[in-house]
Amino acid sequence: HYEIDDESLPSLKKMLEYGRRNTIILAHNGGRADLSTVQTILDENPNVLLDWAGMTHFGGYGLTSPPPPGKNLVWYVKNPIEDGKGHLRPEWKAFAEKNQDRIVGVGFDGAHPEQFTNPEVYKRSLAVYRTMLSDLSPEAAAKIGFKNARKLFGVE
């Protein structure tokens, strides 16, 4: 978990330079970083991967950085990749197609289990991820949905 913003980006870049021999997975697109920042990080660091856990409109931004003025601190969604109805925004769809080998999966932010006491939460999140993946080419959807994670963890 690394909430990329203007203040934290230089530290992340130093860490990534130091860890070039390691595979790094940036959770939640690097804490819901903006598209150009995420693309630059991927372009500069072939060992960096992303996950899309918690990246639906159900996933809140978090409390590590303040939201813009006038936004609700508890439920501000930063740089959403989908339109609030489950479809990928066009720019994130293009990003996913281009970087389909660098996104290792979709899923839940299991660090907050109290959110998942109701099975309906899982069902609605799965429905959104299925819609998001259906917006992609079959090859990209399969890689992002499960193949990249299987490859990374050596699972057949």
Side-chain angles (χ1 to χ4, degrees):
H1 280 81
Y2 204 96
E3 300 285 340
I4 298 173
D5 56 24
D6 291 340
E7 185 179 338
S8 66
L9 185 58
S11 296
L12 175 63
K13 286 185 175 185
K14 285 181 185 178
M15 181 196 73
L16 294 175
E17 287 175 20
Y18 179 77
R20 294 234 183 250
R21 293 180 300 189
N22 300 308
T23 299
I24 311 264
I25 301 172
L26 292 178
H28 319 298
N29 275 356
R32 297 184 183 272
D34 66 85
L35 184 65
S36 63
T37 299
V38 176
Q39 187 64 64
T40 299
I41 289 169
L42 291 183
D43 291 345
E44 294 175 354
N45 301 279
N47 60 317
V48 172
L49 305 171
L50 305 171
D51 85 13
W52 277 359
M55 294 298 293
T56 71
H57 59 280
F58 298 120
Y61 168 57
L63 300 176
T64 58
S65 299
K71 295 290 184 176
N72 183 324
L73 182 62
V74 176
W75 203 249
Y76 170 64
V77 177
K78 176 184 169 192
N79 298 320
I81 65 172
E82 53 99 0
D83 65 3
K85 297 177 185 171
H87 291 282
L88 286 168
R89 293 177 182 269
E91 65 273 19
W92 284 102
K93 178 180 176 180
F95 172 87
E97 291 288 350
K98 177 181 177 184
N99 297 287
Q100 61 186 271
D101 294 316
R102 308 285 295 277
I103 304 169
V104 295
V106 299
F108 307 101
D109 191 6
H112 309 287
E114 65 279 1
Q115 297 174 341
F116 298 106
T117 57
N118 182 344
E120 294 305 312
V121 172
Y122 288 108
K123 290 178 185 177
R124 74 178 188 197
S125 293
L126 283 172
V128 172
Y129 281 121
R130 285 185 178 122
T131 300
M132 288 168 56
L133 291 173
S134 74
D135 289 338
L136 299 171
S137 67
E139 179 182 15
K143 286 180 179 181
I144 294 168
F146 67 95
K147 286 185 176 182
N148 291 340
R150 282 185 176 177
K151 181 179 175 183
L152 177 66
F153 296 110
V155 176
E156 289 297 321

